[in-house]
Structures are given as structure tokens and as C-alpha cells.
Amino acid sequence: MISGVATLDDVARRAGVSTATASRIINGSSKPVSAALRDRVEAAVADLHYVPNAHARQLARSERTAVGVVVHDVSDPYFAEITRGLQRVATTDGRLVIICNTYRDPARELDYVELLRAHQVAAMVLAGSGYHDAGFARALRGKLRAYELTGGRVAVIGRHDRTGDAVVPDNEAGGYLAGEHLYALGHRDVGVIAGPRNLTTTTDRLTGVRRAARSHHRPPPKVAYADFDRDSGARATADLLAAHPRLTAIAALNDSMAVGALAHLRGVDRRISVIGFDDMPIARDVTPALTTIRLPLADMGALAMSLALSPPSPHPRVERVPAELIARESTFPLDATLSVRP
């Protein structure tokens, strides 16, 4: 060890492994290693306070000031609101925020986590949905663990396949509220515009709507999958109405897709109840004003950044965020709709 700064060779010697093995473990390689080897390397990293970066000497003398935020797309109103809350807390704490857009590409998310770790950010917040992908989840856990071993802090928003600090919106309960609202208004045939199939957010919200259908002894909702944006919401609405002409209500699993549904329905000679999800600012401004499920998005972002910047806890902190129905003009009782011929 030179001048008190541990090197990769120091870690390898302390753990009794080759430098290549130590490097694979520290860098979260997908190549399998035994649990015993991993434990030894991680213990050596902790004991030596190893920082796997060329800037280690500088970092030994200075405080980390930047924080990293990984989102699917900051131009999406959902992530824009979350980011607003994140930045509010980070700015108050004197932090520079580095924002990384993955565009829902799991490989890009892994690359950004590695890049932020190389830049030695003080904390990371992963603000996008988790994926139904065991290989990705395993690789992400490895990279985040390697980062945390260097003193970095991590918080996530949403349901992810990892143990750690998290802000978890109650998406399933929100989906249930959306379905419950439509069925309570007398609707029997309901369509759902869901997001991408591989996202846990989509699964949880759709599960809630389906549970509401069972509670009201209604047939399962008809589902069309889209991309959580306006244009795909409009296309999914057209597909649902063409395939299922008896539909009288649509639950869009985010507000952007609901706005797309309303845009398509303006050119269709029938009234359809539409409910969205998230309560983005635009929900109040469209015509008719959008009934939706509210999540306090900016507050969720602020809470996640607060967790990431706080001292580590011996036990994971999971903050659950309830959903709330906001009834406006875009939903109405079934007898207020135009009759729909089969």
C-alpha cells in the first residue's frame, strides 16, 4: 500500500486471490465465483477502504460532492416530477446532480451504474421501474454492492429485486383504486392500456385492476400493452375499441397514455370513461379533466434523495407511498355513456 491508498493488488493479497479474481468481484462481473471468495474480497475491500478508481488519491483528501440519478427518461413527465424532488434535496445539500437516461434499456442502466461508480459519486438514486429479468437483477445487485463497499449510498424508487433503502409507491393498490372506481360507476367491460410487459410497475398496476374486477364479479379487463407515452396510448385505444366494441371504460396505467386515449376518443362517436395514473400536472389541464390515481411524485424523489444522502442504517429503510383516487370529469356512470352496439 502506497501513502495509505489501497490498490487492487493490496486487496487481492489481503483476500488471498489473484488480481483478476479480485477485479471481477469488485466490478460485479457476471462470471460465477464462490460465495467464500466473494466474502473474502468484500471483507478486504472494507478493511482496506479500497476505492476502485484512478482518482483514489484525490478522493482520500476530498469529499465527494456529486450524486447520480438514473431514470428511464427525464423528459417523461413522470420522471421530470420525480427529478424535481430529487434535485430540490440535492441542491439544498450542496450537491451536483448527474442525470442519466436509460430509455428503458437494462444494459444501459448497468453501464451508467458503472460509470457513476467510476466517477465516485457520493450516492446513487435509481428512479426507474424494476425489470422482470433475473440476469439483469443479479448483475445490478453485484455492481451496486461493489459501489456500496467503497462507501457509496444507494436508494431506489419502485419495486426492485434487491434489499436496500427504497421508496415504494403502492402501485397495486393504485391499480385497484382505478378499477374499483370504474366498476363502482357501473362499467362491466373495461379495457386497460398497460405499460411495457417487462416492468414491475406495469405488473403491479395491472394486478390491482384485475383484483378489482374479481371483487366486483366482472370479467377480466381486456389489455393492450403500450410504451407509457401519449402516441402508444392512442394506438392502444384504437386497438382496444376495434377488438372489443362493448368497452365502456378504459384504465390507462399512466397519464401520458390516458391523454393519448382522450385524443383518440375525440374522433370517435362514443363516450368512454377514461382514468389515468400518477396525476401529472397535465391531468388537470386536458379536456375533459382527467380522473387519475395520484402519487406524490416530487415528494417521492425528495424522499429517495434524502435516504441516499443520510448515514447508512443497519436495516434497509423502505418508505411506502400510498396512492389516492382523484375523480374529475373523464369518468362517469355507465348510464351516462352512449349505447354501444356489439
Side-chain angles (χ1 to χ4, degrees):
M1 194 183 307
I2 300 174
S3 301
V5 177
T7 66
L8 181 61
D9 288 338
D10 295 327
V11 172
R13 280 194 293 272
R14 174 69 67 91
V17 300
S18 70
T19 302
T21 297
S23 177
R24 284 198 300 271
I25 292 171
I26 291 169
N27 289 304
S29 169
S30 59
K31 187 171 182 179
V33 295
S34 70
L37 282 182
R38 183 176 299 279
D39 289 345
R40 279 157 47 192
V41 170
E42 290 180 351
V45 167
D47 290 345
L48 296 172
H49 303 288
Y50 172 65
V51 179
N53 184 268
H55 302 304
R57 293 177 183 272
Q58 177 183 352
L59 289 169
R61 300 189 300 268
S62 62
E63 180 184 359
R64 306 179 186 187
T65 58
V67 293
V69 174
V70 180
V71 300
H72 289 325
D73 183 356
V74 75
S75 69
D76 181 317
Y78 176 91
F79 293 108
E81 281 294 292
I82 285 177
T83 301
R84 185 166 65 88
L86 289 162
Q87 287 187 304
R88 184 174 69 235
V89 172
T91 300
T92 300
D93 202 54
R95 307 284 183 167
L96 171 70
V97 179
I98 302 172
I99 298 173
C100 304
N101 292 303
T102 69
Y103 303 108
R104 298 195 179 92
D105 180 348
R108 185 174 292 171
E109 182 163 333
L110 293 175
D111 289 343
Y112 277 135
V113 168
E114 191 66 23
L115 181 63
L116 290 170
R117 185 166 76 96
H119 278 76
Q120 294 299 323
V121 295
M124 291 187 209
V125 176
L126 308 187
S129 170
Y131 294 94
H132 294 298
D133 183 332
F136 163 78
R138 185 167 53 251
L140 181 63
R141 285 195 302 270
K143 290 182 180 296
L144 293 177
R145 176 60 178 159
Y147 167 67
E148 288 172 324
L149 285 170
T150 70
R153 298 277 295 112
V154 177
V156 302
I157 298 175
R159 181 165 68 85
H160 292 255
D161 186 8
R162 72 179 295 271
T163 300
D165 291 346
V167 176
V168 183
D170 202 342
N171 283 312
E172 183 176 341
Y176 182 86
L177 287 174
E180 163 71 20
H181 179 66
L182 296 177
Y183 294 122
L185 288 171
H187 295 282
R188 175 179 176 83
D189 298 299
V190 172
V192 175
I193 305 175
R197 294 173 184 264
N198 66 331
L199 299 182
T200 59
T201 296
T202 298
T203 300
D204 294 345
R205 294 181 180 185
L206 182 55
T207 296
V209 179
R210 285 171 166 160
R211 181 161 61 87
R214 292 194 300 271
S215 296
H216 283 263
H217 307 289
R218 298 289 194 264
K222 308 301 188 292
V223 181
Y225 290 91
D227 295 325
F228 274 149
D229 61 27
R230 177 193 181 279
D231 290 345
S232 67
R235 290 192 297 270
T237 302
D239 292 343
L240 281 170
L241 296 182
H244 309 287
R246 289 183 176 273
L247 292 184
T248 61
I250 290 175
L253 299 189
N254 84 342
D255 286 347
S256 293
M257 296 189 299
V259 169
L262 291 175
H264 177 79
L265 289 170
R266 279 196 286 273
V268 177
D269 187 23
R270 53 197 285 194
R271 292 188 72 205
I272 303 288
S273 280
V274 176
I275 188 169
F277 204 118
D278 293 327
D279 196 28
M280 299 173 189
I282 195 174
R284 298 183 290 276
D285 298 329
V286 295
T287 302
L290 181 64
T291 295
T292 188
I293 302 300
R294 173 178 291 167
L295 289 175
L297 301 177
D299 291 344
M300 286 163 48
L303 182 55
M305 184 59 75
S306 296
L307 287 174
L309 293 177
S310 64
S313 168
H315 304 290
R317 294 165 292 191
V318 179
E319 301 287 348
R320 301 197 178 276
V321 180
E324 176 188 4
L325 172 69
I326 305 297
R328 298 192 179 103
E329 300 165 3
S330 67
T331 52
F332 32 79
L334 178 61
D335 58 10
T337 66
L338 295 178
S339 61
V340 181
R341 291 190 298 272

